[in-house]
Amino acid sequence: MGEASVEHTHGHHMDPVVEYKSSKLGMWLFLGTEILLFGGLFAAYAIFRAKYPEMFFEQHVELNKKLGAVNTCILIFSSLTMAMGVSAIQRGKQKATAILILITILCGLAFGVVKYFEYSAKFHHHIYPDTSIFFSLYFMMTGLHMLHVFIGLAILAVIMVLTLKGKFTAKYNTPVEVGGLYWHLVDLIWIYLFPLLYLIG
Amino acid sequence: MATHSHTEEHHITSNKTYIIVWVALMVMTAITVYVSYINFGMLNIVIALVVASIKASIVALYFMHLKFEDSITWVFALFPLSLLALLIGMTITDTFTRTIVP
């Protein structure tokens, strides 16, 4: 994404349509590697769950289903505002885009706050990543996801500032759309993490 | 790409569509949470994963615009999923066909 904007300020060496399409394709390729990064953990989850079903059943009840559900709602709502933000910039509405991205950022922060309370409740009950394979997977999967939320928030903050500076228009908005794709992936992964960790044991 | 004479041909999804998609996602979230309180045995896992996959598909198709992308983007989006299926499928097959437990 940084590259796309650098290219842009240096003048077009590429046809804008080609630049737009290849940026987006590059992002999809990157998202594929992200899915496979999490895929390793999902594979580990599948094996250990099948090997130790009792442990997964007994320990998953320790997780707070309600907080997990709240976070799911927060992330889905943030995906909605992000998607609406991309539509807004495609229509050239810079102010609306900045506001929608701000709401997305606030949702991401709220997700982090809920996660903070969840983790501290676990630590309070002396549950740590080395407590069991289940909690090892829980902390690793949600922790890696949380890292992605933080990276997404940094990307969104940059995009919001650039939007306010008037860098994006109805004609040029590739970073907004590509940044949006990253944020939706964060939502996509949580859609699987929530039922696998909190709901089924 | 060269055949496209028009320069800017974005499909802009309406906010109405997005809100319908959002409502659908919320309803499905409510269903999975509700179902998790009932014991269907192994069926619980199946229901949870099927609903999650429907939700993920909707997010990809609408929020991520996949529905309006060209075929090469579809290949880029779906190919990692086949690798993922291979990864999990092969690992599970290996783990559960071993006679000696490692």
Side-chain angles (χ1 to χ4, degrees), chain B residues 2-42:
Chain B
T3 51
H4 279 246
S5 53
H6 39 249
T7 45
E8 291 288 314
E9 193 62 50
H10 282 182
H11 179 279
I12 306 179
T13 311
S14 70
N15 285 344
K16 195 185 152 200
T17 309
Y18 281 143
I19 289 171
I20 293 169
V21 166
W22 174 67
V23 170
L25 289 170
M26 293 308 288
V27 169
M28 280 186 274
T29 305
I31 290 171
T32 26
V33 174
Y34 179 74
V35 166
S36 76
Y37 286 101
I38 311 162
N39 188 11
F40 288 123
M42 283 299 280

Side-chain angles (χ1 to χ4, degrees), chain A:
Chain A
M1 202 166 24
E3 278 165 41
S5 49
V6 169
E7 281 270 333
H8 194 69
T9 49
H10 283 257
H12 291 296
H13 300 291
M14 248 199 240
D15 172 39
V17 178
V18 175
E19 187 185 318
Y20 166 72
K21 290 200 169 185
S22 44
S23 298
K24 217 160 53 170
L25 209 52
M27 192 55 173
W28 275 102
L29 183 62
F30 172 66
L31 297 187
T33 68
E34 291 278 57
I35 287 170
L36 290 169
L37 168 68
F38 278 93
L41 289 168
F42 282 120
Y45 175 93
I47 291 168
F48 288 117
R49 208 201 123 90
K51 272 185 182 275
Y52 310 107
E54 305 87 10
M55 176 178 61
F56 275 65
F57 184 77
E58 281 161 19
Q59 300 193 343
H60 98 284
V61 283
E62 299 273 342
L63 298 180
N64 194 324
K65 224 183 242 194
K66 288 199 179 77
L67 286 185
V70 166
N71 258 352
T72 307
C73 297
I74 291 173
L75 267 199
I76 290 174
F77 184 73
S78 78
S79 252
L80 169 73
T81 54
M82 186 67 231
M84 284 165 77
V86 173
S87 286
I89 199 66
Q90 285 171 343
R91 294 190 184 98
K93 294 176 185 167
Q94 294 172 334
K95 206 180 161 191
T97 307
I99 292 169
L100 285 161
I101 294 175
L102 179 66
I103 298 170
T104 312
I105 291 173
L106 292 176
C107 288
L109 291 173
F111 181 90
V113 170
V114 173
K115 203 87 239 159
Y116 169 79
F117 283 118
E118 255 194 86
Y119 281 171
S120 34
K122 294 290 155 297
F123 297 149
H124 187 74
H125 291 110
H126 302 289
I127 294 169
Y128 303 105
D130 63 353
T131 299
S132 68
I133 291 174
F134 177 78
F135 280 108
S136 194
L137 281 169
Y138 163 77
F139 280 110
M140 188 65 205
M141 289 171 112
T142 58
L144 187 64
H145 178 265
M146 201 58 227
L147 180 69
H148 280 75
V149 171
F150 286 138
I151 295 169
L153 286 175
I155 292 169
L156 291 183
V158 172
I159 291 173
M160 187 182 71
V161 170
L162 292 178
T163 308
L164 288 171
K165 283 186 175 175
K167 298 273 182 199
F168 306 125
T169 58
K171 277 201 183 317
Y172 176 71
N173 49 53
T174 313
V176 184
E177 193 173 337
V178 167
L181 282 178
Y182 186 84
W183 189 256
H184 294 309
L185 180 90
V186 170
D187 186 24
L188 216 65
I189 289 168
W190 185 259
I191 283 176
Y192 281 95
L193 288 185
F194 172 56
L196 286 178
L197 293 170
Y198 294 76
L199 299 184
I200 49 177

